[in-house]
Amino acid sequence: MKPPAALLLASLLFPAPAGAKDIVIHAGRLIDGTGAALRSQVSILIRNDKITGIQAGFVTPPGAEVIDLSQSTVLPGLIDAHKHIGSGGGRRGGRSSDVVERGPRTNLDAVLAATGPVRQILEEGFTSVRSVGAADGIDIALKHAVDSGVIPGPRMWVSLEPLSPAGGHGDPTNTLDPNLPFDPLRIAHSVVTGPVEVTLAVREHHKRGADLIKIMPSGGVLSTGDNPHLQLMTNEEIKAAIDAAHALGMKVAAHAQGKEAIDNSLRLGIDSIEHGTYADEASFALFKQHGAYLVPTIVVAMETFDRANAGQTSADTANKVREAVQFKDKMVAAAYKSGVKIAFGTDVGPGPDLREFSLLNKDGMSPMDIIKAATHSAADLIGAADQIGSVQEGRYADLVATPGDPLTDITQLEHVQFVMKGGVVYKMGGKRVAQ
């Protein structure tokens, strides 16, 4: 049977790219990330790096490579909306409060040290991450290296340095001798005073390649000398960051632990609250009123709690984290029950600790909503839901698979056995595929 004339004409006018690669994945179960019900026995059609269709049953187009996941559950590539790519600080990959961990190193040291963890993050199933704080352009360098194929890793949306008030959570000179000389440019990239400096810093970050802006309106738990309950940036400074970023098409994430900083940031139009430890019902109403996301990061609180109990933190940090963990679970459970939009984020580096999934479940989130938080919702927060976060035609072929059903056992997502990013397989049968 000859193909219709229209198809022949289309093939002549719009020929397939030279070397186009066709793949079909036979998925035993499919959770597409949108919150739609699980589907059984479907075929996911892929050409090069994009999904071209989803069909019922197991079909095999002529010439397509078949990947048999007929005994597995296939999902969109996972998204971690709160990482600190390349910022150092030990296994967590975050900002260390221990001076001994902040010893002399160059930016090149930091980039080289991060190449292994960046690949590990991808192999854990996170095909995209939002990096919300790293110094000196390290995260930009890693993003460029991944995008150009120099190293394997997840897609990255990066913020460069967080903007902090002097002495706040994010001031790189905290705990250090004030008489030491510091690079004035590095301080200018991080520490801001007044709305004019904030606006300038946002514009400089944009010029250097930042995808989003991170601000530190409240004190932190891991940092020394500040109070997480207090708002340390003024409302004028917060508003200047939001206005300048939004004018440039960038979103703004706010590290906000205390209620005052949370509520004021929400009123001023923030896109996401990171941590949100001391939010309450009035805060949840503001989240919903302004359409902002909460990124809870429960696991980092638990990790730090474990370190504090083992005597591995300062006394100041230990006191702050022990208080914070008393509020965290209740806050997350109440936020979810209130209908606050939640995006998945961990604030921890790669490694064996993938408890965020089960911790969210313990706090009342259904497995389907946890999956959506780590796929479609995180993509929506990033501003890339038309590219990532769901298994739909036209999206990147970013896919993961688990042997069991995460809807009945959410810890399946701690044991991803298959990882594809952009049509390229990086993990198969639980083992690394050389790239």
Side-chain angles (χ1 to χ4, degrees):
M1 181 179 177
K2 293 182 178 180
L7 289 180
L8 287 173
L9 179 61
S11 67
L12 292 172
L13 293 176
F14 306 102
K21 183 178 181 182
D22 291 321
I23 298 172
V24 58
I25 292 178
H26 292 167
R29 299 170 296 276
L30 173 64
I31 301 171
D32 70 8
T34 67
L38 177 146
R39 296 169 62 184
S40 297
Q41 296 190 344
V42 298
S43 296
I44 304 168
L45 308 179
I46 298 165
R47 168 159 286 192
N48 294 329
D49 62 346
K50 297 288 181 62
I51 296 170
T52 59
I54 298 96
Q55 293 188 16
F58 295 152
V59 302
T60 305
E65 174 190 346
V66 177
I67 296 178
D68 183 5
L69 297 175
S70 59
Q71 303 302 310
S72 302
T73 303
V74 177
L75 308 94
L78 302 173
I79 304 169
D80 191 329
H82 192 117
K83 285 288 191 191
H84 292 276
I85 298 293
S87 63
R91 192 182 73 77
R92 282 191 59 248
R95 297 82 48 235
S96 174
S97 60
D98 300 316
V99 175
V100 68
E101 293 185 12
R102 298 165 61 186
R105 63 171 189 165
T106 68
N107 292 348
L108 181 57
D109 292 327
V111 171
L112 291 174
T115 57
V118 162
R119 173 154 193 161
Q120 188 175 351
I121 289 167
L122 174 62
E123 291 175 356
E124 288 174 350
F126 294 96
T127 55
S128 296
V129 299
R130 190 181 62 146
S131 179
V132 287
D136 305 322
I138 294 167
D139 50 0
I140 283 283
L142 288 164
K143 174 183 176 175
H144 290 167
V146 169
D147 288 349
S148 61
V150 174
I151 60 172
R155 304 181 194 281
M156 298 183 194
W157 282 260
V158 304
S159 73
L160 299 173
E161 302 85 0
L163 303 184
S164 170
H169 186 71
D171 184 338
T173 66
N174 283 349
T175 74
L176 300 180
D177 184 345
N179 295 311
L180 290 172
F182 296 107
D183 178 359
L185 185 60
R186 183 173 187 184
I187 303 303
H189 285 158
S190 302
V191 179
V192 288
T193 300
V196 173
E197 285 191 8
V198 171
T199 299
L200 177 60
V202 168
R203 292 171 178 169
E204 288 286 340
H205 276 50
H206 180 265
K207 183 174 70 173
R208 292 165 58 210
D211 301 297
L212 68 144
I213 296 297
K214 169 80 172 296
I215 62 173
M216 303 295 209
S218 87
V221 172
L222 297 181
S223 46
T224 300
D226 55 351
N227 185 336
H229 288 281
L230 299 181
Q231 178 175 321
L232 303 182
M233 293 182 79
T234 68
N235 284 353
E236 291 76 16
E237 290 168 336
I238 297 169
K239 185 176 187 300
I242 294 169
D243 288 350
H246 286 179
L248 293 168
M250 295 191 294
K251 294 191 176 186
V252 186
H255 160 100
Q257 301 275 9
K259 175 178 166 55
E260 183 180 8
I262 292 168
D263 291 1
N264 283 330
S265 296
L266 290 167
R267 291 187 186 101
L268 293 167
I270 205 75
D271 298 289
S272 67
I273 295 291
E274 316 296 307
H275 315 303
T277 302
Y278 298 105
D280 61 13
E281 290 294 338
S283 310
F284 304 149
L286 289 169
F287 271 102
K288 292 185 287 184
Q289 178 184 344
H290 295 279
Y293 274 92
L294 169 67
V295 185
T297 67
I298 310 169
V299 68
V300 70
M302 299 309 299
E303 275 204 0
T304 312
F305 183 72
D306 294 342
R307 289 176 59 202
N309 288 339
Q312 297 173 358
T313 69
S314 67
D316 177 56
T317 294
N319 290 335
K320 289 193 286 185
V321 74
R322 287 173 182 144
E323 179 190 276
V325 295
Q326 297 177 33
F327 288 82
K328 195 78 168 187
D329 286 330
K330 294 177 183 178
M331 182 279 294
V332 175
Y336 175 64
K337 187 176 181 180
S338 295
V340 172
K341 295 192 298 185
I342 294 176
F344 184 95
T346 63
D347 200 15
V348 298
D353 199 341
L354 295 173
R355 288 181 291 169
E356 190 76 20
F357 299 106
S358 59
L359 290 169
L360 288 168
N361 190 224
K362 181 174 70 72
D363 289 344
M365 285 189 73
S366 71
M368 182 63 88
D369 285 342
I370 295 169
I371 291 168
K372 187 176 179 182
T375 54
H376 183 270
S377 293
D380 182 54
L381 169 57
I382 288 171
D386 60 339
Q387 304 174 59
I388 60 173
S390 60
V391 183
Q392 297 185 76
E393 183 177 346
R395 305 309 193 265
Y396 281 114
D398 295 353
L399 302 164
V400 300
T402 64
D405 181 2
L407 294 178
T408 58
D409 177 12
I410 196 63
T411 64
Q412 284 285 311
L413 297 181
E414 298 177 11
H415 311 288
V416 167
Q417 300 294 296
F418 171 86
V419 178
M420 170 185 278
K421 176 192 155 200
V424 177
V425 176
Y426 290 90
K427 189 176 185 180
M428 177 79 78
K431 297 180 180 179
R432 172 179 290 183
V433 176
Q435 295 290 346

